[in-house]
Amino acid sequence: SMMFNMCVPFEDGVDALAIPTGEPALEYVLEPPTTPTQQDMSRTTFVLERRLQGFGISNPDIQLDDTQIRVQLPDLGDADLAQLNGLITQQGALLFQLVRESASFDETPRLEMLEPSPFQTDIIQRAVISESDFGLVIEFDLMADIQDAFGDFTEANIGRQLAIVFDDEVLMAPTLQARIETAGLISGNFSATEARVIVAALNSGSLPFVLTLVEVRELP
């Protein structure tokens, strides 16, 4: 079956905090606590800017120090703020992992049933939402420089189940029917918001660490 349940906690953290009127500033801590490299910080700024621009915020004000990131936003309603927090905190890592041949399961395999992924970097060139008989689906194109390797990997494992894992959640685990080297499809019962956030995260690339919201406040 291609169907699955997504349990992405889009609203976590926002409802529990008092949201001020006016222009909010969202403050996040990096987890695990680390001293990020300059490259990590540059990548984080780049990824967050792309995500916010995809949301329609053209010149986001993002300030970073060693342990915290502050994002200053225009005046938004609570629902937009909750969705935007979901987008900012989504790590955005998509992995393809073979299901262990010894694993037995009824519907969706659990993470511990999967083999490590041979592809650890961002390998999605572009993702879009489209309509299908299954409801909303996410179509994706693979990066040109990964296509030969991904094609060889999938061809060598025809007949086995390949799990698609987004931020440690197994989305689906279809059986490989043929070589795949240029594009793929993720289907399921996404809400429009869930699909939009996943696509935005895939198109902007993954964050090098997890961001946890600690405060929502107005900057003076």
Side-chain angles (χ1 to χ4, degrees), residues 11 14-15 19-20 76-84:
E11 314 257 338
V14 173
D15 292 348
I19 298 176
L76 293 169
D78 288 4
D80 283 342
L81 200 58
Q83 186 181 341
L84 197 56

Side-chain angles (χ1 to χ4, degrees), residues 28 42-54 60 62 64 69-71 87-90 204 207 211:
Y28 298 89
S42 300
R43 175 163 182 80
T44 299
T45 306
F46 171 76
V47 168
L48 292 182
E49 281 178 351
R50 279 183 65 169
R51 291 184 186 183
L52 293 168
Q53 285 162 359
I62 299 170
L64 300 96
I69 293 175
R70 180 187 295 136
V71 182
L87 180 54
I88 289 171
T89 54
Q90 202 81 66
S204 59
L207 289 169
L211 302 183

Side-chain angles (χ1 to χ4, degrees), residues 49-67:
E49 281 178 351
R50 279 183 65 169
R51 291 184 186 183
L52 293 168
Q53 285 162 359
F55 200 82
I57 297 168
S58 53
N59 289 307
D61 180 3
I62 299 170
Q63 297 161 35
L64 300 96
D65 65 33
D66 282 352
T67 56

Side-chain angles (χ1 to χ4, degrees), residues 128-148:
V128 296
I129 301 169
S130 58
E131 294 272 357
S132 80
D133 295 342
F134 297 108
L136 294 178
V137 296
I138 295 172
E139 299 181 54
F140 60 86
D141 296 327
L142 292 162
M143 298 272 196
D145 61 0
I146 204 83
Q147 290 179 3
D148 286 346

